């Protein structure tokens, strides 16, 4: 059905799709968790309610991405997990803490609810920062140097800010009244922190990564890469313009910041993909070198053709059912 040399690229595309959907979908609910106010129970409850039907299922895409990496690219999986064992462990601890806190805040006495709100907030912050740190180390090819660690720390801050930004945009779309106004304020602050992070990566990454420098300065790849920063800059400017005018009468345009945030995430993701393709581990291992045997990939593809559409269908269905403005938080 497919030639042997095309199978690894099919699975890279599948893994890339899973990572992109995870970053967007779990990104906004991690951002909501980081922004969770600790001194306003009404706002906290509504923010939790806005992500309640989705947050757990959003993490399915992370499981799928890691599963594809493990099965289709075992050599790369071994290299990545070996280099990122500690930050990956801390990320998982953060995600576990979020899950525990989400359930426990609904069952404890009101006086102890704040403890689990703090746990949810800390778990969201820890998971977000570690994801950014791992991204920075990945971009640096897992180089063990002070320069690489500094870049990874800055990447952690940038990804955390980006999640806060998209989380605030989600709240603008899903909430009303005072909480929506508060979310607009959060988004106005986070958008420029996020912009500074993207600009920093665009400047620093080519300077410290020879592969990226060659890709950004040589034809024809430069023709595909250079428009991306300018598109991102335009989207940030547009988002700033829109946020300065929200909220509008009858809640018009409340969905615009979230759509712009999606496009910003997509353009940044595209920039990284174009910069490093065909390497699955930058500068160390390409897609064909890391791929499993064609017979294994062909067998796995059968399962992927069945499972991935089911996950997509469930995701679309859940967002369709729970679309619209959030209502008061209720536990049954």
């Amino acid at each position: 059905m497919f030639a042997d040399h095309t199978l690894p690229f099919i699975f890279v595309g599948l893994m890339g799709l899973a990572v992109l959907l995870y970053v967007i979908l779990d990104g906004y609910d991690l951002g909501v968790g980081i922004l969770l106010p600790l001194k306003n129970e009404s706002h906290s409850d509504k923010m939790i309610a806005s992500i309640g039907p989705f947050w757990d299922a959003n993490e399915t895409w992370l499981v799928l991405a890691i599963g594809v990496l493990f099965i289709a690219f075992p050599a790369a999986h071994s290299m990545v997990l070996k280099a990122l064992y500690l930050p990956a462990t801390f990320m998982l601890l953060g995600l576990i803490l979020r899950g525990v806190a989400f359930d426990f805040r609904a069952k404890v006495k009101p006086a102890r609810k704040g403890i689990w709100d703090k746990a949810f907030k800390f778990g969201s912050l820890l998971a977000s920062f570690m994801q950014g740190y791992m991204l920075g180390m990945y971009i640096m090819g897992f180089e063990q140097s002070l320069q690489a660690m500094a870049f990874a720390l800055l990447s952690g801050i940038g990804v955390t800010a980006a999640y806060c930004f998209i989380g605030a945009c989600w709240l603008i779309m899903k909430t009303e009244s005072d909480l929506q106004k508060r979310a607009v304020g959060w988004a106005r602050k986070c958008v420029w922190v996020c912009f500074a992070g993207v600009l920093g990566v665009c400047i620093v990454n080519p300077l410290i990564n020879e592969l990226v420098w060659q890709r950004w300065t040589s034809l024809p790849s430069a023709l595909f890469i250079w428009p991306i920063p300018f598109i991102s800059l335009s989207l940030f400017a547009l988002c700033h313009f829109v946020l300065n005018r929200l909220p509008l009468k009858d809640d018009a345009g409340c969905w615009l910041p979230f759509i712009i945030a999606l496009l910003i995430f997509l353009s940044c993701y595209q920039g990284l993909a174009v910069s490093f393709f065909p390497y699955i581990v930058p500068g160390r291992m390409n897609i064909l070198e890391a791929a499993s045997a064609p017979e294994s990939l062909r067998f796995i593809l059968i399962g992927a053709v069945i499972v991935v559409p089911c996950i997509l269908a469930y995701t679309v269905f859940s967002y369709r059912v729970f679309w619209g403005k959030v209502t008061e938080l209720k536990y049954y």
Side-chain angles (χ1 to χ4, degrees):
M1 184 177 182
F2 295 101
D4 289 352
H5 67 276
T6 64
L7 290 170
F9 296 99
I10 292 173
F11 278 94
V12 161
L14 176 59
M15 185 171 65
L17 175 65
V19 171
L20 176 62
L21 289 175
Y22 172 77
V23 168
I24 291 174
L25 298 180
D26 206 41
Y28 79 73
D29 73 54
L30 284 167
V32 170
I34 296 170
L35 296 171
L36 197 72
L38 301 177
K39 297 182 179 180
N40 191 321
E41 185 177 344
S42 175
H43 284 182
S44 295
D45 284 347
K46 285 188 177 180
M47 289 170 68
I48 290 292
S50 75
I51 63 174
F54 315 112
W55 74 274
D56 204 12
N58 290 341
E59 294 175 0
T60 304
W61 296 105
L62 177 62
V63 176
L64 177 63
I66 296 175
V68 171
L69 180 63
F70 175 69
I71 298 172
F73 305 100
H77 178 273
S78 176
M79 184 178 294
V80 170
L81 266 294
K82 182 179 178 180
L84 299 178
Y85 185 82
L86 279 178
T89 299
F90 282 113
M91 180 197 72
L92 291 175
L93 288 174
L95 295 176
I96 291 169
L97 184 59
R98 272 169 49 90
V100 172
F102 189 91
D103 286 335
F104 273 50
R105 77 184 300 277
K107 297 175 173 64
V108 298
K109 296 178 181 179
R112 298 181 179 178
K113 193 174 181 180
I115 297 174
W116 292 106
D117 282 346
K118 292 177 183 177
F120 190 80
K121 188 180 185 77
F122 177 74
S124 301
L125 179 61
L126 179 62
S128 300
F129 181 80
M130 285 302 160
Q131 288 178 18
Y133 180 86
M134 289 190 291
L135 174 62
M137 293 300 291
Y138 174 81
I139 289 174
M140 292 298 298
F142 308 125
E143 178 184 325
Q144 297 300 316
S145 66
L146 185 61
Q147 183 184 44
M149 292 185 66
F151 180 81
L153 290 172
L154 290 175
S155 177
I157 295 172
V159 168
T160 301
Y163 284 174
C164 289
F165 166 56
I166 196 171
C169 293
W170 172 262
L171 291 172
I172 293 170
M173 182 173 63
K174 295 290 288 185
T175 62
E176 299 174 299
S177 304
D178 292 341
L179 180 54
Q180 186 185 56
K181 293 177 182 177
R182 196 172 182 181
V184 170
W186 288 332
R188 287 172 182 168
K189 295 175 183 177
C190 292
V191 66
W192 291 115
V193 179
C194 182
F195 169 74
V198 172
L199 183 62
V201 171
C202 289
I203 294 173
V204 174
N205 198 15
L207 296 178
I208 62 179
N209 195 313
E210 184 178 352
L211 171 66
V212 176
W213 174 263
Q214 292 176 354
R215 193 63 60 86
W216 282 44
T217 56
S218 61
L219 296 174
S221 58
L223 297 176
F224 296 95
I225 293 176
W226 277 105
I228 295 174
F230 292 102
I231 292 172
S232 297
L233 176 61
S234 301
L235 289 169
F236 276 113
L238 177 61
C239 193
H240 176 72
F241 176 82
V242 171
L243 289 171
N244 281 340
R245 283 153 180 78
L246 292 179
L248 298 174
K249 185 179 179 181
D250 297 327
D251 214 19
C254 67
W255 50 272
L256 271 174
F258 188 73
I259 297 300
I260 296 171
L262 291 182
L263 294 175
I264 290 172
F265 273 55
L266 182 61
S267 65
C268 293
Y269 190 78
Q270 183 183 6
L272 287 174
V274 173
S275 295
F276 292 116
F277 185 84
Y279 284 93
I280 195 166
V281 179
R284 300 181 66 177
M285 185 179 294
N286 64 37
I287 295 169
L288 295 177
E289 291 171 342
S292 296
E295 295 80 8
S296 300
L297 294 178
R298 192 169 284 107
F299 178 77
I300 299 165
L301 185 61
I302 298 173
V305 169
I306 298 172
V307 171
V308 174
C310 291
I311 299 175
L312 283 170
Y314 166 77
T315 300
V316 172
F317 177 75
S318 63
Y319 278 89
R320 177 65 184 87
V321 170
F322 295 102
W323 197 246
K325 293 293 183 179
V326 66
T327 56
E328 288 187 14
L329 181 63
K330 295 179 180 178
Y331 294 103
Y332 298 95

